Amino acid sequence: MKTFKKAKSIVAAIVLGLGVSQVQASDQSLLNSSYDIARELFASYNEHFAQYWQEKTGQTVEIRQSHGGSSRQAQAIIEGLRADVVTFNQVTDIDILHQRGKLVPADWREQLPNASSPYYSTMAYLVREGNPKNIQNWDDLAHEDVSSVFPNPKTSGNGRYTYLAAYGYAQQAFPEDQDAIDSFVRTFLNRVAVFDTGGRGATTTFVERGIGDVLITFESEVNNILAEFPDQNFEVVVPKVSFLAEFPVAVVERHAQRNGNLELARAYLEELYSEDAQRLLAGFNYRVHNEVVQQEFSEQFPEVELLTIEQIAGSWDSAMEVHFASGGKLDQLQRR
Amino acid sequence: MRTSAHLRIGDQPWVKWSLITLALSLVTLLLLVPLFAIFAQAFSGGLESYIANVTDRFTLHAIGLTLFVAALTVPINLVFGVFLAWLVTRFEFPGRKLLITLIDIPFAVSPVVAGLLYLLLYGSNGWIGSRLMDHDIQLMFSWPGILMVTVFVTCPFVARELIPLMQQQGKEEEEAGVTLGASGWQLFRRITLPNIQWALIYGVVLTNARAVGEFGAVSVVSGNIRGETNTLPLHVELLYQDYNVVGAFASSSLLAGIALLTLFVKSFVEWRQARQRHALNEEEI
Amino acid sequence: MSLAITSAISLNPSKRVLPGFALSLGISLLFISLILLLPITGLLLQTAGMSWNEYWSVISDPRVVASYKVTLWAAAWASAFNGVVGLLLAWVLVRYEFPGKRIVDALMDLPFALPTAVAGITLSALFAENGWYGSILAEAGIKVAFTPLGIIVAMSFTSLPFVVRTVQPVLEDLAVEDEEAAISMGGSDLTVFRRVIFPSLWPALLTGIALSFTRSLGEFGAVIFIAGNMPYVSEITSLMIFIRLQEFDYAAASAIASVVLLASLILLFLINIWQAFYLRRIHGR
């Protein structure tokens, strides 16, 4: 350990040599492990929280951020990354923290309001200028002349949600007719032009490579893209029926306790539900639960019927087993 | 020295220049244009935004960490590569070919899998990692873990450069040296090193380049903590995820720049050596 | 160089004339065990938890089998392409003087230095139908980005330096005497190249191609950005491994990785044996 410290001071020396100071000393520090596209969101929230915490306790706090694919992040925590809190975009990635190492309690979804999901989103479409293929709902995506882009459901939660949304739509459109449901979803999957491994890759494919008539991703992302590429005149379409995409959070109790951060970690997540934080989240185009903020942003978020995982597949566990496991429904529908 | 017109093949002007033209067009298409595309993207927001991106606190930290890891990786693999090459090209022993094959394992393993191997072994649930954990030593998700996978991914380069060359040269000169009473170190310094120095430098350059650019394996064991365990390639990925394409390519251009710098150093050393040899020759005359 | 004299001195047939056998064997074995074999054992232990039937059903899944075919096919084309282009580039860099040679030489290692993801993003930008290359190719009716052809492009880009850098030192070190003799005896350039130069280059060239091939088998970062990743058509084996990892199914990931690893190792082992055999034949020993 000693030699590491010594070498670490060499790193510090190199860094100092380049004219930067190491992270400044704070009273407390907290590690937030999060999904890949949430860096700016949490950079902004961390500022808010640090201020709130100082006003409340008089202590300064430094929030360190780790971002990556949600499943990869969970894997790192299981293997020893000492994150105090997780803010993910997939329920199953927090479940695995309980199953593989009892790092979070079994009832983590009951620890915080709204099933521990302080904000949520849904799957929406980004179409090219003027919506030339007139894409309004899921059935339009099965048309022969439509080609769509969304990330691979096998590698990305984003893609999984899109698959489930289409499946849920088909369940409504063809009640009790499994063959019709399967055939619709199969056609829908056949219309995909490119399967990127992550959401950002799919965005690049659609926006910069010019592939596909429609990009399907989180509503929050669709709005971000719209703001990032104003000259392309994309249009947002929110289908009438879509999937409730939750963004679950949890305290990694085992680690937080060990780091002496339990109280701080809980406060960090609870503060996400405060009106100010909810406003901040809505500013990043996420849907929130706070009614006052909902009112303020009502124009930004059109009404949509949100299907839950319980309605579509019973539970996440059974969804993973029936649909996404090797040889499951998704594999069958993609078979040629 | 060689003054007559045609002593080596391919020296006729038309052969020479058509081959050069062909090679240069390929280099342009395959390497130069992609490189140019990176810099074009990096500077697409103007010089100011380029500088702002490069001097960002987290970018600078990533640069420092990346250089630090490379600075440790290169000597480790240099020593190992030279010993291994000496062993397999100068001695016959059972299992020699197996050893040469083993050294190629890192090329055969996908970097993501390489990272996973280390994570499963040294992670807190791993066979070694759990024991280290009892002593509160954490290798993964800190720089020692990054160093370990980087050494793994780059360890074949030096050996791989040296082995074919030393095999081709044979061991006669060194054996002559031994009969003349040279010690092992003298032998290596006076006879082997001058013969293999270019291959050695190539090996170091490749090791360094790959160490600086490694992404897949590092991303698995890094933990991606910004300002702590984020290497430059990981930083590129992170910026790209943030829709900061300009920033991502600015950081990429740094990586390309580091590579070109290393190569420049190599060329300089080469030039100095050539001049030295030239001077020596003249003295002798 | 007076090879004849030195080999005359080393008439002593005793095998281990040279010093350093024990030292270099010790260091090499220690390093290989710690850095390479220990983690690989971890991989095998992961798969050891599976029954043979489970193992077989994971590695013979039709989608995975389709990915083997795509990967092998693309890696074969990419390394063949690199063999031809790499030989040409190495030849031009060693044999000829031309303005900008140093720069071209320096550029050669670019693919190693760039994070593979950056390479993938850049290549897919160039080869997409609205990109610089893609728009020209589209007129000829050729689609590269998001087709299996894109996989070949990404693989050959990331592994091009292998061939150049293995051939270059050997070519540089080639004895001039044989070549001059052959020319003075009136051999045409092509004959001399085929009969005199190629036999010495062959092992290095093959090594380069084999390395390029094995590296391509494991390539992930660059390929996924340009492949399109359509099931059964353009999914590579590394993606299959990645998918299993996302599912937290380490055993299945390790199983597929072990197939790639084994195939690469067998291939490399054969090449090494063959190369040694070939070398012995040309040296007449």
Side-chain angles (χ1 to χ4, degrees):
Chain A
M1 205 59 194
K2 224 180 230 168
T3 48
F4 296 161
K5 271 192 185 139
K6 197 173 166 191
K8 202 166 187 176
S9 63
I10 302 176
V11 181
I14 293 175
V15 173
L16 281 169
L18 287 162
V20 239
S21 57
Q22 278 279 54
V23 198
Q24 59 277 63
S26 306
D27 297 329
Q28 277 174 296
S29 111
L30 186 82
L31 180 57
N32 175 12
S33 172
S34 191
Y35 52 101
D36 40 16
I37 50 177
R39 194 181 69 82
E40 285 183 337
L41 165 68
F42 280 100
S44 169
Y45 173 69
N46 289 345
E47 245 172 68
H48 164 84
F49 179 76
Q51 202 181 354
Y52 158 82
W53 190 248
Q54 188 157 26
E55 278 164 20
K56 193 180 163 202
T57 64
Q59 293 200 303
T60 56
V61 59
E62 190 224 345
I63 318 286
R64 294 137 69 222
Q65 290 174 258
S66 165
H67 294 277
S70 181
S71 300
R72 190 90 74 82
Q73 296 290 79
Q75 191 178 307
I77 292 170
I78 293 167
E79 293 301 333
L81 179 72
R82 287 185 203 164
D84 299 289
V85 296
V86 289
T87 50
F88 283 167
N89 58 2
Q90 287 182 78
V91 170
T92 46
D93 288 329
I94 302 188
D95 280 337
I96 202 99
L97 294 181
H98 171 71
Q99 290 156 17
R100 290 280 171 102
K102 304 270 179 286
L103 296 165
V104 300
D107 64 343
W108 65 269
R109 300 211 75 182
E110 276 113 63
Q111 303 274 328
L112 289 160
N114 309 109
S116 291
S117 174
Y119 53 100
Y120 61 100
S121 190
T122 185
M123 307 319 287
Y125 313 148
L126 189 70
V127 295
R128 303 206 179 271
E129 186 171 4
N131 197 358
K133 299 279 167 81
N134 192 24
I135 295 162
Q136 300 298 343
N137 207 347
W138 298 98
D139 51 347
D140 298 322
L141 298 177
H143 284 168
E144 212 170 308
D145 63 337
V146 170
S147 98
S148 58
V149 173
F150 63 88
N152 194 337
K154 283 277 189 177
T155 56
S156 153
N158 188 329
R160 232 165 274 168
Y161 290 159
T162 298
Y163 166 87
L164 287 170
Y167 197 88
Y169 163 81
Q171 282 175 325
Q172 276 194 343
F174 317 104
E176 309 293 320
D177 186 352
Q178 192 59 44
D179 287 344
I181 295 170
D182 287 355
S183 121
F184 173 82
V185 180
R186 180 178 285 122
T187 316
F188 167 76
L189 290 169
N190 273 334
R191 299 287 174 257
V192 177
V194 172
F195 271 126
D196 284 286
T197 46
R200 183 62 177 100
T203 304
T204 308
T205 301
F206 180 78
V207 175
E208 280 164 36
R209 312 283 174 261
I211 303 273
D213 302 306
V214 54
L215 171 73
I216 312 165
T217 184
F218 293 118
E219 182 190 41
S220 53
E221 272 299 282
V222 165
N223 282 300
N224 278 340
I225 299 163
L226 206 60
E228 287 289 334
F229 303 93
D231 51 327
Q232 300 244 25
N233 298 318
F234 292 128
E235 289 172 26
V236 173
V237 176
V238 179
K240 285 160 203 73
V241 185
S242 196
F243 182 72
L244 169 68
E246 294 177 288
F247 288 74
V249 301
V251 175
V252 187
E253 292 194 1
R254 278 269 288 276
H255 290 172
Q257 211 150 25
R258 191 171 176 162
N259 300 342
N261 276 340
L262 207 51
E263 195 196 347
L264 174 68
R266 286 200 177 120
Y268 181 77
L269 296 185
E270 276 159 16
E271 179 60 16
L272 279 168
Y273 291 86
S274 74
E275 194 179 308
D276 285 345
Q278 296 264 299
R279 192 169 287 118
L280 187 149
L281 290 162
F284 281 90
N285 301 307
Y286 289 104
R287 294 182 182 228
V288 293
H289 302 288
N290 184 293
E291 280 168 19
V292 181
V293 181
Q294 271 180 353
Q295 281 294 315
E296 283 171 34
F297 285 83
S298 58
E299 275 186 23
Q300 197 177 319
F301 299 113
E303 276 205 36
V304 46
E305 183 191 347
L306 291 177
L307 304 172
T308 63
I309 189 68
E310 286 76 17
Q311 288 169 290
I312 294 171
S315 72
W316 270 113
D317 281 345
S318 75
M320 296 309 279
E321 201 183 305
V322 174
H323 289 275
F324 301 113
S326 288
K329 191 110 218 161
L330 174 65
D331 275 352
Q332 291 162 26
L333 295 178
Q334 285 191 322
R335 190 155 295 161
R336 306 219 155 165
Chain B
M1 284 181 50
R2 265 175 260 117
T3 41
S4 49
H6 182 52
L7 277 183
R8 310 195 73 183
I9 65 166
D11 270 357
Q12 302 95 316
W14 72 271
V15 178
K16 179 178 164 182
W17 287 107
S18 45
L19 285 182
I20 290 179
T21 313
L22 186 60
L24 286 186
S25 345
L26 281 168
V27 167
T28 309
L29 284 177
L30 297 177
L31 301 173
L32 213 54
V33 171
L35 183 67
F36 177 76
I38 291 169
F39 279 94
Q41 290 264 26
F43 284 100
S44 61
L47 186 66
E48 264 171 55
S49 95
Y50 180 82
I51 292 173
N53 273 309
V54 168
T55 54
D56 171 79
R57 180 162 77 103
F58 294 110
T59 308
L60 287 178
H61 185 276
I63 296 170
L65 180 61
T66 300
L67 292 180
F68 170 70
V69 169
L72 286 178
T73 304
V74 168
I76 292 174
N77 280 331
L78 177 69
V79 170
F80 161 69
V82 169
F83 273 108
L84 186 86
W86 179 264
L87 180 71
V88 299
T89 60
R90 295 299 179 253
F91 303 107
E92 283 292 335
F93 56 94
R96 187 178 147 269
K97 289 189 191 86
L98 185 68
L99 210 58
I100 303 184
T101 306
L102 282 179
I103 186 65
D104 287 328
I105 287 180
F107 288 151
V109 180
S110 167
V112 176
V113 174
L116 182 79
L117 295 180
Y118 273 80
L119 190 59
L120 293 180
L121 191 62
Y122 294 99
S124 59
N125 297 323
W127 185 61
I128 296 179
S130 56
R131 283 169 179 75
L132 292 176
M133 212 61 165
D134 296 338
H135 299 92
D136 210 30
I137 296 174
Q138 191 173 9
L139 295 174
M140 297 294 111
F141 315 114
S142 59
W143 71 263
I146 299 176
L147 175 67
M148 287 159 80
V149 295
T150 310
V151 168
F152 176 88
V153 169
T154 58
C155 75
F157 284 102
V158 173
R160 260 289 148 214
E161 285 303 316
L162 293 184
I163 291 171
L165 182 69
M166 285 170 71
Q167 231 159 25
Q168 203 231 5
Q169 284 176 337
K171 54 188 173 189
E172 288 84 1
E173 284 185 58
E174 280 111 350
E175 282 173 349
V178 170
T179 25
L180 295 175
S183 76
W185 173 243
Q186 282 174 328
L187 212 60
F188 178 73
R189 254 216 52 169
R190 299 273 176 78
I191 300 173
T192 315
L193 196 59
N195 279 336
I196 62 166
Q197 59 187 350
W198 301 130
L200 197 67
I201 294 172
Y202 281 137
V204 166
V205 165
L206 292 189
T207 306
N208 183 56
R210 187 72 207 278
V212 167
E214 177 50 33
F215 173 77
V218 170
S219 77
V220 176
V221 300
S222 135
N224 305 311
I225 307 170
R226 211 162 56 119
E228 282 180 43
T229 59
N230 226 16
T231 62
L232 202 46
L234 296 182
H235 194 63
V236 171
E237 159 94 357
L238 189 143
L239 292 173
Y240 194 72
Q241 300 280 10
D242 277 359
Y243 295 101
N244 187 352
V245 177
V246 174
F249 276 99
S251 292
S252 308
S253 75
L254 289 178
L255 286 163
I258 293 174
L260 293 178
L261 191 73
T262 329
L263 269 295
F264 174 75
V265 170
K266 191 210 81 181
S267 296
F268 180 72
V269 174
E270 211 166 21
W271 173 75
R272 278 288 300 268
Q273 294 273 354
R275 217 176 56 160
Q276 237 170 31
R277 225 175 305 149
H278 189 67
L280 272 176
N281 282 345
E282 285 191 346
E283 261 173 46
E284 278 168 21
I285 295 163
Chain C
M1 203 164 298
S2 44
L3 267 176
I5 300 171
T6 47
S7 48
I9 294 173
S10 71
L11 275 176
N12 180 1
S14 130
K15 255 186 177 175
R16 282 166 201 160
V17 192
L18 296 175
F21 178 71
L23 180 67
S24 53
L25 183 69
I27 289 188
S28 301
L29 285 185
L30 181 74
F31 189 89
I32 285 182
S33 314
L34 277 181
I35 297 288
L36 297 174
L37 292 182
L38 202 59
I40 299 291
T41 318
L43 177 96
L44 298 180
L45 281 180
Q46 283 290 326
T47 57
M50 306 171 91
S51 74
W52 172 249
N53 280 340
E54 283 170 324
Y55 182 77
W56 180 249
S57 80
V58 167
I59 65 170
S60 65
D61 178 84
R63 194 159 161 186
V64 177
V65 171
S67 82
Y68 297 146
K69 287 182 192 154
V70 171
T71 311
L72 284 173
W73 182 79
W77 277 106
S79 51
F81 174 81
N82 281 350
V84 176
V85 174
L87 180 61
L88 170 73
L89 293 177
W91 179 269
V92 168
L93 283 174
V94 171
R95 286 304 186 94
Y96 304 137
E97 286 303 324
F98 55 93
K101 177 176 156 173
R102 283 272 154 76
I103 299 170
V104 173
D105 192 30
L107 270 179
M108 219 47 79
D109 292 313
L110 185 73
F112 281 151
L114 281 185
T116 49
V118 176
I121 293 163
T122 311
L123 289 174
S124 78
L126 287 173
F127 281 98
E129 268 179 65
N130 57 10
W132 293 344
Y133 295 168
S135 54
I136 299 168
L137 289 170
E139 278 173 31
I142 305 170
K143 277 175 98 174
V144 176
F146 311 115
T147 70
L149 209 54
I151 303 178
I152 300 177
V153 169
M155 283 179 173
S156 40
F157 179 83
T158 47
S159 63
L160 177 64
F162 279 119
V163 178
V164 182
R165 292 311 190 202
T166 33
V167 171
Q168 224 176 353
V170 176
L171 199 55
E172 233 159 49
D173 213 58
L174 223 53
V176 202
E177 290 86 355
D178 299 345
E179 193 184 331
E180 286 173 348
I183 293 170
S184 62
M185 284 191 283
S188 77
D189 278 13
L190 270 182
T191 319
V192 175
F193 182 78
R194 225 182 51 220
R195 294 274 175 81
V196 180
I197 297 182
F198 203 59
S200 305
L201 277 189
W202 191 219
L205 180 65
L206 200 70
T207 308
I209 293 176
L211 290 179
S212 161
F213 183 78
T214 42
R215 169 74 203 268
S216 299
L217 290 185
E219 183 49 46
F220 177 68
V223 174
I224 50 160
F225 282 98
I226 195 173
N229 306 316
M230 300 309 293
Y232 301 94
V233 178
S234 53
E235 280 184 334
I236 55 166
T237 308
S238 296
L239 180 63
M240 295 294 113
I241 299 173
F242 188 75
I243 285 175
R244 295 295 182 272
L245 289 182
Q246 296 298 100
E247 293 167 352
F248 300 98
D249 193 347
Y250 298 155
S254 307
I256 302 175
S258 71
V259 173
V260 182
L261 182 69
L262 202 67
S264 313
L265 281 182
I266 291 175
L267 182 83
L268 290 168
F269 190 63
L270 290 178
I271 298 265
N272 281 331
I273 289 182
W274 190 77
Q275 192 183 316
F277 167 76
Y278 204 90
L279 210 64
R280 209 170 297 138
R281 225 179 55 182
I282 46 172
H283 279 208
R285 254 171 286 144

